[in-house]
């Protein structure tokens, strides 16, 4: 039994180390991509901008309305799970605040 706890701790530690390594690689790759700005990247940037506009526009609004309506229906029927309701609200904040969150991360990274 004690060995199972130790192996799960090692597994959790290795997952955390892997995640930290991936975050470091992503940050280094993003810094390098901003510095180089290769030829032809305008088309990729345009496509990603279109995707962002689509996902944060009508699609996101419809998904949020459906999620909030589902929580409201569960409340009306007396079967609301508070954890599910909190998850929906937090998800809406993250979804619609994504632009502000990324801007804050960029400002913080620019300070280093």
């Amino acid at each position: 039994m004690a060995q199972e706890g130790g192996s799960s701790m090692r597994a959790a530690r290795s997952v955390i180390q892997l995640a930290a390594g991936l975050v470091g690689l992503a940050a280094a790759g993003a810094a390098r991509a901003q510095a180089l700005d290769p030829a032809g990247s305008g088309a990729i940037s345009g496509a990603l901008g279109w995707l962002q506009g689509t996902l944060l526009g009508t699609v996101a609004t419809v998904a949020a309305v459906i999620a909030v309506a589902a929580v409201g229906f569960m409340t009306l029927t007396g079967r609301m799970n508070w954890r599910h309701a909190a998850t929906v609200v937090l998800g809406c904040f993250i979804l619609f605040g994504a632009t502000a969150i990324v801007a804050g991360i960029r400002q913080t990274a620019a300070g280093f």
Side-chain angles (χ1 to χ4, degrees):
M1 189 76 171
Q3 289 179 343
E4 288 178 19
S7 64
S8 65
M9 283 288 249
R10 276 185 254 123
R13 191 177 305 128
S14 65
V15 168
I16 291 171
Q17 290 171 347
L18 176 64
L22 289 175
V23 168
L25 284 174
R32 209 171 323 136
Q34 288 176 357
L36 296 178
D37 197 23
S41 65
I44 295 172
S45 295
L48 291 176
W50 172 82
L51 184 64
Q52 176 187 2
T54 301
L55 292 178
L56 291 178
T58 307
V59 175
T61 304
V62 169
V65 167
I66 290 171
V68 170
V71 169
F73 183 72
M74 288 172 30
T75 303
L76 285 173
T77 59
R79 297 180 294 140
M80 186 177 75
N81 180 356
W82 285 99
R83 183 174 286 179
H84 179 70
T87 302
V88 167
V89 170
L90 182 65
C92 288
F93 279 119
I94 291 173
L95 180 66
F96 294 116
T99 307
I101 292 169
V102 171
I105 292 171
R106 282 185 178 174
Q107 286 179 350
T108 303
F112 290 113

